[in-house]
Amino acid sequence: TAKVTYRSDYWNSSLLIQRYQTIDDATTKPYQRLPEIRLSGTVPESLNNINFNYRTVFTRFDRDQAGLTDAEKVNGDRLILNPSIDMEFSKTWGYIKPSLKLWHASYNLNDQASDMSSNQSVTLPILSVDSGLYFDRGFNFQDKAYTQTLEPRLYALYVPYEDQSKLPDFDTSELTFSYNSLFRDNRFSGDDRFGDAKQISLGLTSRVISDEGREILSASVGHAFYFDDRKVRVDATDDPIEDDTSDFSTSIIWRPNTRVRALLDATFDAGSFNNTETTFDLKYEEDYNHVVGMRHRFTSDTRKQTTLSYLWPISNNWSSLGLFQYDWLTGKTLDAAS
């Protein structure tokens, strides 16, 4: 990997070259970026409460084609354009943030499948409105003063459907559902897909803040309502997502002091309330060189894994580190390093 970046007050740019050498015998090799050029920023001196932003990414994707057939052989160039207009109206008691974004993806492909055009593009408008209220109260516990907040949130998203089944998949996957994903405008990572959406997401967060301003506890719960099937998928052969509502999603973050952080993310089936996915993360970080962590991830019927890791100096010139990952479903060690 080689990367050069430049940052100014109003815009950022980068040039990336990224190649891979694989250590297994898998036929499908990862795509290399030769190169990727990014430019993003905001227009200075924008109007009151209105921001004009832009994001441009040009990437040349290439990979070893040996043993590949049909759609797997595709290489080529991709240009992404993301201009947006964001407005923000905020008071001490709440806020509303409308946003209008444009997503444009343009391709110039080589060695594509016979049913895939070498030059194609997709353009979509994305309209979202994020809003919330703030309520707070003071209380005392063990002779210390604290503030508790109550923050209801409503997020509305509209993205029209546009057929993307003939677009290549260079770097895209569907994101894992979590509390934060309720308030994203795209359910995919990468830039080869933009999900269609007609939805409203509701969230509720409560925080406990010390009199020094440090957030000690944050607890959130959220749920989304979908008003149409979601047809865009990474794999065009997958069926549309027909659920009318999302799972219930929760997130709890506890910081008893400046060194310890505990996070619990969990989702529950909207019909049965059965736990479908859980992530528990516990970290002790004295500083950048003294870190101990434990993570446990559970996904119903597919995953139950625990990871232990640490980084700790031995002396001024020597440091130790270790990682151990265990799969409880298979009873096997997935990774171990020291």
Side-chain angles (χ1 to χ4, degrees), residues 22-298:
T22 55
I23 60 174
D24 58 22
D25 296 326
T27 302
T28 303
K29 307 299 182 182
Y31 277 105
Q32 303 172 110
R33 300 167 190 263
L34 305 171
E36 180 174 272
I37 302 171
R38 290 177 175 264
L39 177 65
S40 61
T42 184
V43 177
E45 299 179 1
S46 299
L47 302 176
N48 288 338
N49 303 318
I50 302 177
N51 297 310
F52 299 91
N53 306 302
Y54 57 89
R55 170 179 173 266
T56 303
V57 185
F58 171 82
T59 311
R60 169 159 291 181
F61 291 97
D62 192 19
R63 72 175 172 187
D64 184 0
Q65 296 177 320
L68 301 181
T69 59
D70 300 328
E72 293 181 340
K73 296 178 62 177
V74 62
N75 292 317
D77 303 335
R78 184 186 69 193
L79 176 65
I80 300 295
L81 300 176
N82 280 148
S84 65
I85 301 175
D86 303 317
M87 292 176 282
E88 181 173 355
F89 306 95
S90 59
K91 299 290 184 180
T92 57
W93 46 265
Y95 67 92
I96 182 168
K97 299 177 182 178
S99 174
L100 177 62
K101 181 188 295 184
L102 190 71
W103 178 73
H104 174 82
S106 179
Y107 294 86
N108 182 15
L109 304 176
N110 303 310
D111 300 313
Q112 72 278 7
S114 58
D115 62 344
M116 182 182 293
S117 173
S118 60
N119 292 283
Q120 52 183 306
S121 62
V122 176
T123 303
L124 283 172
I126 300 101
L127 178 63
S128 65
V129 179
D130 192 5
S131 60
L133 297 173
Y134 296 119
F135 303 94
D136 63 80
R137 70 179 185 92
F139 70 97
N140 293 302
F141 180 72
Q142 294 184 344
D143 299 326
K144 292 185 178 181
Y146 298 91
T147 299
Q148 181 189 9
T149 71
L150 193 64
E151 306 168 27
R153 184 176 181 182
L154 185 150
Y155 178 78
L157 175 66
Y158 172 73
V159 184
Y161 170 73
E162 185 74 26
D163 185 12
Q164 300 166 42
S165 60
K166 300 302 181 182
L167 299 182
D169 174 18
F170 289 133
D171 64 357
T172 297
S173 60
E174 194 154 359
L175 292 166
T176 301
F177 179 74
S178 66
Y179 179 78
N180 290 331
S181 66
L182 293 170
F183 309 101
R184 293 191 186 106
D185 59 11
N186 192 8
R187 61 180 181 270
F188 300 104
S189 66
D191 276 311
D192 292 310
R193 301 288 186 276
F194 211 104
D196 53 318
K198 296 178 183 178
Q199 73 179 69
I200 289 178
S201 298
L202 301 177
L204 182 65
T205 297
S206 181
R207 309 177 201 271
V208 175
I209 303 169
S210 70
D211 56 355
E212 297 95 358
R214 185 172 63 86
E215 183 181 291
I216 296 173
L217 180 67
S218 171
S220 302
V221 60
H223 190 55
F225 299 89
Y226 305 112
F227 300 98
D228 203 352
D229 296 344
R230 288 160 288 165
K231 304 180 183 68
V232 177
R233 307 300 302 270
V234 175
D235 187 341
T237 62
D238 289 343
D239 294 330
I241 304 174
E242 299 178 346
D243 298 334
D244 295 330
T245 64
S246 72
D247 288 346
F248 286 97
S249 182
T250 60
S251 179
I252 300 173
I253 302 174
W254 179 45
R255 298 180 180 90
N257 53 54
T258 58
R259 298 178 180 182
V260 176
R261 176 182 180 270
L263 177 145
L264 176 65
D265 282 343
T267 59
F268 300 87
D269 183 87
S272 64
F273 289 97
N274 290 330
N275 180 211
T276 55
E277 187 158 358
T278 298
T279 298
F280 175 72
D281 189 86
L282 179 63
K283 179 183 288 187
Y284 173 86
E285 186 172 0
E286 186 173 322
D287 54 45
Y288 290 115
N289 295 316
H290 298 77
V291 182
V292 179
M294 189 275 284
R295 168 172 287 198
H296 180 78
R297 301 189 67 186
F298 163 80

